[in-house]
Amino acid sequence: MAIPVIDFSKLDGEERAKTLAEVANGCEEWGFFQLVNHGISEELLERVKKVTGDFFRMERQENFKNSTLMKAVNENKKLENVDWEDVFTLLDDNEWPSKTPGFKETMEEYRRELKKLAERVIEVMDENLGLPKGYMKKAFNGGEEDNAFFGTKVSHYPPCPKPELVTGLRAHTDAGGVILLFQDDKVGGLQILKDGQWIDVQPLRNSIVINTGDQTEVLSNGRYKSVWHRVLATPTGNRRSIASFYNPSMKATIAPAPELVKKENQEVDQTYPKFVFGDYLSVYAEQKFLPKEPRFQSVRAV
């Protein structure tokens, strides 16, 4: 089984209806799908590969080699509550790497393009769900202004000498809205849980992997479920993973869209609570690797 691969350029042509249906299937049946011909130039993506690879080699690799994590694995210690991952987060207002030539300029451009793509994707979700155009964007922004959170996590999963002792990234669902992943062309390791089986998300050159987070599950009233996923540590290859998160603002109120709440005999079939995203994130921070359903119940209590 392989996750769906969708040609996003066909949204603008004669195959629009078919492409909409493919995205709907990706959201409803998988929670993960890959976009090709997504509008982000090959030239930019090649530059992103170069600067993120250079960044790891120049500014991160030596520290990882000398980390307590590497030491523990070399001592044959089984590690339960850590991840075999080097990670650096990019936000508009935090400090960016300065030693790697071209990193800031390239990644700023990449983030601008990814945010545009994220907003195109949620417009398609609006259409497929029968919601007004711009509904999800407005919900994530908490109104008309541009307040949605957009962060980018630059990760590397270096070769692990004893991958049986540690997970690359422990299984979890994502807290936010829509996640756009630019993963390694060659080194695999990302898996999703579908029908009780772990399935590889196959590397596909210059594709963008889309997955739905917990907040999309709530807004869609359960039509688009967030999906458990993990990354395996591998003995060879240094896997690149650049995940961008289009999330609600901390103050945004999230609830199932009224259009998706069925009314039968005056009873509202609403599975999910209404809450402020910041409250949910506080619960998630403590329960990220635990089942998601209790998180929704906890935030209901808040």
Side-chain angles (χ1 to χ4, degrees), residues 242-257:
I242 306 169
S244 295
F245 299 82
Y246 190 91
N247 291 353
S249 74
M250 294 294 278
K251 295 179 180 178
T253 298
I254 302 298

Side-chain angles (χ1 to χ4, degrees), residues 5-301:
V5 177
I6 300 169
D7 184 340
F8 209 50
S9 67
K10 292 187 176 179
L11 267 181
D12 301 322
E14 294 179 357
E15 296 184 49
R16 178 175 174 78
K18 180 187 173 194
T19 308
L20 286 169
E22 289 175 347
V23 174
N25 175 68
C27 292
E28 292 182 17
E29 300 299 326
W30 292 84
F32 267 75
F33 52 94
Q34 302 208 49
L35 296 183
V36 296
N37 298 323
H38 37 61
I40 299 170
S41 74
E42 296 262 327
E43 184 272 335
L44 174 57
L45 293 176
E46 292 300 322
R47 277 193 285 131
V48 168
K49 292 178 199 175
K50 182 180 188 313
V51 298
T52 53
D54 290 348
F55 165 63
F56 178 75
R57 285 187 294 274
M58 294 173 66
E59 303 190 43
R60 309 287 292 186
Q61 187 169 24
E62 200 60 33
N63 285 342
F64 194 89
K65 284 181 178 178
N66 296 317
S67 66
T68 54
L69 184 60
M70 181 69 81
K71 184 179 178 183
V73 166
N74 284 328
E75 291 174 353
N76 282 320
K77 292 179 179 175
K78 180 74 173 172
L79 302 174
E80 300 287 353
N81 297 312
V82 293
D83 303 306
W84 187 262
E85 177 188 34
D86 177 81
V87 60
F88 190 92
T89 302
L90 303 176
L91 304 171
D92 288 341
D93 56 359
N94 70 347
E95 188 174 345
W96 286 43
S98 56
K99 296 177 185 175
T100 305
F103 184 93
K104 191 168 194 291
E105 298 80 3
T106 298
M107 294 308 292
E108 282 180 337
E109 182 182 351
Y110 173 76
R111 276 169 49 78
R112 284 194 299 271
E113 294 302 311
L114 257 285
K115 189 173 181 181
K116 290 177 196 171
L117 179 59
E119 291 178 343
R120 283 200 71 200
V121 168
I122 61 174
E123 273 193 7
V124 172
M125 291 181 182
D126 284 337
E127 187 169 348
N128 278 332
L129 289 167
L131 299 175
K133 184 177 180 179
Y135 182 92
M136 289 180 69
K137 180 179 178 181
K138 187 175 179 180
F140 287 165
N141 281 281
E144 300 295 344
E145 295 180 19
D146 186 18
N147 294 321
F149 173 89
F150 190 70
T152 299
K153 190 178 88 160
V154 179
S155 298
H156 284 86
Y157 300 89
C160 181
K162 296 169 184 175
E164 69 278 6
L165 297 178
V166 64
T167 308
L169 180 60
R170 287 163 285 167
H172 64 286
T173 65
D174 288 322
V178 175
I179 299 83
L180 302 92
L181 172 68
F182 182 33
Q183 70 165 346
D184 204 278
D185 291 344
K186 297 175 182 175
V187 184
L190 175 62
Q191 297 183 323
I192 69 167
L193 187 63
K194 178 168 172 58
D195 302 328
Q197 288 185 299
W198 287 104
I199 297 169
D200 293 330
V201 178
Q202 65 275 22
L204 182 61
R205 183 177 176 271
N206 290 347
S207 69
I208 300 292
V209 180
I210 306 293
N211 74 279
T212 49
D214 295 348
Q215 306 314 300
T216 296
E217 179 170 334
V218 174
L219 280 169
S220 69
N221 202 26
R223 285 265 300 274
Y224 295 171
K225 295 280 200 303
S226 60
V227 171
W228 284 84
H229 53 286
R230 69 183 183 185
V231 178
L232 301 180
T234 57
T236 57
N238 180 19
R239 179 177 177 270
R240 179 195 69 250
S241 171
I242 306 169
S244 295
F245 299 82
Y246 190 91
N247 291 353
S249 74
M250 294 294 278
K251 295 179 180 178
T253 298
I254 302 298
E259 292 88 344
L260 302 178
V261 176
K262 301 173 187 174
K263 293 185 178 179
E264 295 177 3
N265 301 324
Q266 305 303 313
E267 290 185 9
V268 178
D269 179 18
Q270 180 171 320
T271 308
Y272 300 88
K274 179 179 181 178
F275 53 84
V276 174
F277 178 61
D279 293 338
Y280 184 83
L281 211 53
S282 297
V283 173
Y284 180 88
E286 297 181 357
Q287 301 181 18
K288 176 177 179 177
F289 302 108
L290 300 174
K292 63 183 172 181
E293 290 76 14
R295 297 200 291 263
F296 295 129
Q297 296 305 317
S298 296
V299 89
R300 187 191 301 271

